[in-house]
Amino acid sequence: MQATVSRTFNPVISRPAGRPARGRVVAAAADRPLWAPGVEPPTYLDGSLAGDRGFDPIGLGADPKALNWYRAAELVHARWAMLGVAGILAQEIVHPEQWWYTSGLPENLPAIEVGGKMNLGGLLAWEFLLMHWVEVRRWQDIRKHGSVNTDPIFKNNSVPNPEPGYPGGVFDPLGFGKGDMKTMQTREIKNGRLAMIAFAGFTLQAQATGKGPIENLQDHLANPFGNNIGSNIGVCHVPASVDVQGLQIPLTCLWPGQLQ
């Protein structure tokens, strides 16, 4: 009887299937870079995405479809931010007399040899048509990857498109995607995130000081205690409204200050 009990009794309590031990989860999380030391990333952020540091405090990416969309949105915003930041800095170097914040007004648009000043309405119309077409095709690729690989006009042309957001082919003329793709993707998203923060900073600086980022940096270096974030609170260098070809458009200021 005693021998039978010893053979049938097992004191080890089994863990329910599908629930990994907490120690193993923490150990796995420690093997990858995270946004803060000791944090435990959500299960859906497993490090497979470039730049994934396990940061999603309010669970926006818990839905797989939403995660794919947010990832694509972050990527396209990051690329636009990098272009925007580079353009702002280049313009201030080449044309320091033109404040970048107002360079898009009709009176500041470049002149065309045929027809004089550029028409803002026509410019916006072309931008809407072209960007709408591009964004619809990008959305189609997110919904069904590979569905827009072939050129709609020249059917013999196509892109490899290994994953959404990275079409390759003619969009990778230097062949960066042929090497360590994950490393290049991580570098891109890191620089893109930094550019998004920089663009937000450029915008707030412009509203607070009425100057470009390079001039602001020069002023701060010349007088760090007199020219800083605390010395510009209460003043906003954005007009209350602008006249765009006869249309009065009211403006707002993100910086705490009175519109001029």
Side-chain angles (χ1 to χ4, degrees), residues 35 43 61 91 93 95-96 101 104-106 108 119 121-122 153 177 201-202 207 211 226-227 229 234 245 247 256:
W35 66 276
T43 56
Q91 184 204 303
I93 293 172
H95 293 289
Y101 199 87
L105 292 176
N108 297 325
N119 183 277
I153 300 176
F202 288 0
Q207 294 182 351
K211 300 177 181 179
N227 297 313
I229 188 172
Q245 296 180 339
L247 177 64

Side-chain angles (χ1 to χ4, degrees), residues 37-169:
V39 299
E40 187 174 332
T43 56
Y44 52 85
L45 295 180
D46 56 4
S48 58
L49 293 173
D52 174 14
R53 297 297 181 265
F55 182 78
D56 188 13
I58 58 178
L60 293 175
D63 180 1
K65 290 184 178 180
L67 179 60
N68 290 336
W69 176 256
Y70 289 137
R71 177 57 172 172
E74 180 189 38
L75 183 60
V76 73
H77 280 85
R79 289 169 175 171
W80 278 117
M82 287 188 284
L83 287 172
V85 167
I88 290 171
L89 295 174
Q91 184 204 303
E92 189 170 359
I93 293 172
V94 177
H95 293 289
E97 73 283 355
Q98 174 59 54
W99 186 31
W100 75 266
Y101 199 87
T102 59
S103 59
L105 292 176
E107 60 269 22
N108 297 325
L109 292 177
I112 303 176
E113 293 184 3
V114 180
K117 284 285 186 179
M118 187 180 300
N119 183 277
L120 186 62
L123 177 62
L124 291 177
W126 276 107
E127 285 184 357
F128 177 81
L129 290 173
L130 295 176
M131 289 302 299
H132 176 75
W133 182 76
V134 171
E135 286 297 296
V136 166
R137 289 182 66 82
R138 189 172 69 89
W139 171 71
Q140 290 173 331
D141 190 53
I142 295 171
R143 289 189 61 193
K144 186 178 180 181
H145 180 225
S147 60
V148 292
N149 288 2
T150 303
D151 191 301
I153 300 176
F154 304 98
K155 301 297 183 180
N156 293 329
N157 296 334
S158 63
V159 292
N161 194 16
E163 58 182 282
Y166 301 93

